[in-house]
Amino acid sequence: MKERILVTGGAGFLGSYLCRCLLDQGKQVVCVDNLYTGTKRNILPLLENPDFTFLQHDVVEPLDLEVNAIYNLACPASPVHYQKDHVQTVRTCVNGAYNMLELAKKNNCKILQASTSEVYGDPAVHPQVEEYWGNVNPVGIRSCYDEGKRCAETLFNAYHLQYGLPIKLIRIFNTYGPGMHPQDGRVVSNFIMQALQNQNITIYGNGTQTRSFCYRDDLVDGMMRMMATDAAVTGPFNLGNPGEFTMLELAELTIELTNSKSKIVFQPLPSDDPKQRKPNTDKAQKHLGWRAKTPLREGLAKTIEYFDSLLRSGEAL
Ligand code: NAD
Ligand code: UDP
């Protein structure tokens, strides 16, 4: 009997690639998504596979299925999108986690939560280690996501403490790659789309803030290694690429790789925008034998190719 794996948020950027990898490993996959930021385009090739099922469903509502493991990725990840409906974002993070934990308890199965580097907020400890409790504004414009994800971690931990549920917490640092939505609104897709169309590249603030960018394939490999660990391994583990770049450096590299005529323009920095971010990944290396392999230049080139093909085929609008 094939293992049946539930992926919530499976029509999104990371979820759709995860579904593909699981099918490649011979699993059956149930993809649950309300298509809030995800798109059918991401899963079109998978729909032909008899081992793949798509269920349009909002994780805020309970779900009853028989599954052998759950990856909980449902949640808009781009600030632009998670700030469109703050209340829905909190409900997706918290009620969604609750519903999926109840389902895992019923099925007595492993459940992985796609948590985030945002649990560290605007971090005072650099690079970020898992022991750092973070510096998060509970009442700012990013709070629905940051605090929602923190509460989800708390709920996961509560199910582990109270019911012995085999939980897996990973904290994902800025991940990019093919499959991102052209209107996603995050920095990598914005810069590439702007550069390919010779439009102004919009840097928020003075561009000295840093992020560490992880390529999609590396990240999903780490995620699957985490799921494969024994029940005793719960995390949280940071998953990310420790290479750290300013937004100015990212803009310049994108212009170089696209041969673009774009000019850099500076726009106001949104409030609570973290000034620096870089993962310490020692724990993932030790427990999962994992580290990010793809340099930014290489991953960015592949992502540029993807967006370029969307623009050429008219699918990017
Ligand atoms: P994404 O926006 O492309 O994918 C999220 C998916 O969740 C979309 O398909 C969306 O339609 C779906 N969704 C949203 N709310 C839902 C709901 N209530 N019910 C059902 N489906 C819902 O984002 P992504 O980059 O693929 O992120 C996937 C997960 O990883 C998210 O939980 C995100 O918080 C987490 N994460 C991602 C990053 C990153 O850099 N990509 C970093 C940290 C954490
Ligand atoms: N950013 C930017 N221009 C853009 C989009 C984002 O300069 O067009 C900046 C943003 O202010 C932040 C960084 O890039 O400092 C990363 O933003 P993103 O939304 O990708 O992710 P997050 O802030 O959640 O890490």
Side-chain angles (χ1 to χ4, degrees), residues 104-248:
K105 185 161 145 266
K106 190 172 171 196
N107 282 280
N108 191 22
C109 72
K110 290 182 188 177
I111 177 166
L112 178 144
Q113 167 68 355
S115 190
T116 167
S117 53
E118 292 287 331
V119 300
Y120 302 120
D122 188 11
V125 169
H126 194 74
Q128 290 77 60
V129 286
E130 289 85 349
E131 289 77 16
Y132 177 48
W133 291 353
N135 176 32
V136 177
N137 177 359
V139 289
I141 57 170
R142 298 174 81 96
S143 311
C144 56
Y145 183 78
D146 297 9
E147 294 289 23
K149 288 283 188 177
R150 285 170 68 95
C151 185
E153 283 200 11
T154 305
L155 255 180
F156 267 68
N157 194 50
Y159 271 75
H160 178 66
L161 292 175
Q162 203 157 320
Y163 307 115
L165 195 72
I167 62 156
K168 311 279 169 197
L169 294 173
I170 55 163
R171 293 178 178 159
I172 304 171
F173 284 63
N174 298 64
T175 300
Y176 69 98
M180 288 186 96
H181 197 285
Q183 279 83 45
D184 179 273
R186 281 176 278 183
V187 69
V188 173
S189 47
N190 274 9
F191 284 4
I192 295 177
M193 286 294 289
Q194 290 162 344
L196 286 173
Q197 297 173 96
N198 295 309
Q199 296 167 349
N200 288 339
I201 304 254
T202 53
I203 288 190
Y204 304 159
N206 62 13
T208 56
Q209 72 270 37
T210 67
R211 294 292 186 274
S212 299
F213 296 104
C214 185
Y215 188 60
R216 176 198 67 178
D217 302 31
D218 289 342
L219 193 282
V220 169
D221 173 44
M223 201 182 259
M224 291 170 75
R225 284 172 188 246
M226 182 64 174
M227 187 60 106
T229 54
D230 295 342
V233 180
T234 59
F237 297 151
N238 291 335
L239 291 186
N241 189 324
E244 187 183 9
F245 297 85
T246 66
M247 293 314 101
L248 213 46

